[in-house]
Amino acid sequence: MLVLWLLSVGLICLADRVVDPEMRYLRLPENQSCIYNCDGVIKCKGHIPKCDSIIKHYNLATDDNDANKEFRELLLFGHNGLRNRLAAKLNLCDMLEIKWNNKLALYASRHHSFCHKSIMCDSELDSNVNLQQSRPRDKRQISHMVNMSRNSFFYSNTYSTAFIPFALSNWYAAHVKLKFPKRIDVNNRTYYALAGQSNSFYNMVNPIIQTMGCSIAKFRDGRSLICYYYPFVSVNSEIYFRIMDKSYQCPYTYPIFDRIFKRICIKR
């Protein structure tokens, strides 16, 4: 009984969506020479590095009228499309729309300035997040609950014309490495619980994710894509998908379904 009660507390927090449209609780190191390492610890170079092995860096953190707008739109369309596919397959009702965030895109580009082609430890950045120890509906606790996840992909072909779709399909295909999510019932609601830390599929399909930002770089020996997602909340390294019932549609913060992606919840 205690386990179910603790889980219900965590799911209440998730149900409240931990909405942070102003990114007030996004914790990024301000120093541009600093990034999180694989353990979620900030590491700094002491100077802003420059990677000489990059032939071209595509700046995705700019205005809508720039030359890289097509890349941003393709990344958003691809992510929302794949999340919509999962929501339709599992009959989910809480998959939120992802929008672009320049702050995350600029942060992702730091990895390329460090000459990182990929991040071998792609995972949720803080494995110690535990909603069971946080009080629901207490805004003072939100900064300890909200985090982000990240994915990276390197393809050793500098001439690929379908690099982004290929990267996204590889991230999504990583679901075959995970166990099928288990069904659980909490407070008369039914969820799928998915365990999969350090898995690219797990990192990108968390229903609560609302924003993302990416960086693309062309190295001498291939192309690199690095993306960050925010917010990312888990309970004991599990993420939860609410199964739709007859009386429930989208969460109140994202109350309607998208016209194109009919299982993605959006704001009015």
Side-chain angles (χ1 to χ4, degrees):
M1 293 297 294
L2 178 60
V3 173
L4 287 177
W5 180 83
L6 290 173
L7 181 58
S8 67
V9 170
L11 291 178
I12 288 173
C13 294
L14 291 177
D16 286 345
R17 313 316 304 163
V18 196
V19 176
D20 183 22
E22 298 178 359
M23 313 291 282
R24 292 172 296 172
Y25 305 109
L26 175 60
R27 297 170 294 184
L28 295 177
E30 295 183 3
N31 189 328
Q32 294 185 18
S33 70
C34 301
I35 59 173
Y36 287 107
N37 69 2
C38 294
D39 298 319
V41 178
I42 295 176
K43 295 294 183 180
C44 302
K45 287 278 189 179
H47 64 280
I48 299 177
K50 180 181 179 180
C51 181
D52 294 330
S53 62
I54 290 181
I55 298 175
K56 183 176 182 179
H57 175 252
Y58 299 85
N59 183 10
L60 303 185
T62 49
D63 296 331
D64 290 338
N65 296 324
D66 72 286
N68 296 323
K69 178 182 178 181
E70 181 180 354
F71 291 132
R72 287 199 302 276
E73 291 180 343
L74 182 57
L75 285 163
L76 283 173
F77 189 86
H79 277 83
N80 283 317
L82 292 174
R83 287 160 62 86
N84 179 76
R85 177 181 178 181
L86 178 65
K89 184 175 182 179
L90 297 183
N91 191 31
L92 308 178
C93 59
D94 62 349
M95 190 70 75
L96 302 188
E97 177 190 29
I98 294 182
K99 293 187 176 181
W100 190 261
N101 182 270
N102 282 339
K103 184 181 292 187
L104 290 176
L106 287 171
Y107 180 71
S109 68
R110 294 187 195 181
H111 286 281
H112 286 143
S113 67
F114 276 59
C115 282
H116 294 170
K117 298 177 182 178
S118 62
I119 307 172
M120 297 304 294
C121 57
D122 295 332
S123 65
E124 183 185 348
L125 294 184
D126 184 1
S127 59
N128 296 317
V129 171
N130 189 340
L131 293 185
Q132 296 178 359
Q133 298 176 357
S134 301
R135 290 177 294 173
R137 307 180 188 278
D138 188 344
K139 293 184 178 180
R140 292 173 298 177
Q141 298 292 327
I142 290 180
S143 61
H144 302 292
M145 294 157 41
V146 177
N147 217 304
M148 56 186 176
S149 59
R150 62 189 177 190
N151 277 336
S152 68
F153 183 78
F154 181 76
Y155 187 43
S156 56
N157 183 340
T158 58
Y159 302 102
S160 173
T161 58
F163 169 65
I164 292 177
F166 187 55
L168 296 184
S169 63
N170 272 266
W171 289 346
Y172 192 85
H175 71 83
V176 299
K177 300 178 182 179
L178 303 176
K179 293 182 179 179
F180 192 85
K182 59 185 178 182
R183 290 173 65 112
I184 59 171
D185 293 302
V186 180
N187 293 338
N188 297 319
R189 297 176 179 179
T190 305
Y191 297 85
Y192 280 117
L194 176 66
Q197 195 171 6
S198 301
N199 179 279
S200 58
F201 174 81
Y202 172 90
N203 291 341
M204 66 187 287
V205 298
N206 193 332
I208 201 172
I209 294 174
Q210 300 161 38
T211 60
M212 63 175 286
C214 303
S215 177
I216 299 175
K218 181 179 179 181
F219 289 81
R220 293 190 178 95
D221 57 345
R223 294 177 183 265
S224 169
L225 172 65
I226 296 175
C227 292
Y228 274 84
Y229 312 101
Y230 173 86
F232 193 101
V233 179
S234 65
V235 181
N236 289 337
S237 298
E238 289 185 330
I239 57 178
Y240 292 84
F241 308 92
R242 185 173 176 183
I243 300 175
M244 179 182 293
D245 56 41
K246 294 181 180 179
S247 61
Y248 189 86
Q249 298 294 320
C250 287
Y252 71 91
T253 51
Y254 283 66
I256 58 177
F257 284 119
D258 183 72
R259 296 176 62 182
I260 298 176
F261 299 121
K262 299 185 182 300
R263 301 306 294 269
I264 293 290
C265 300
I266 64 174
K267 293 183 178 180
R268 292 186 185 277

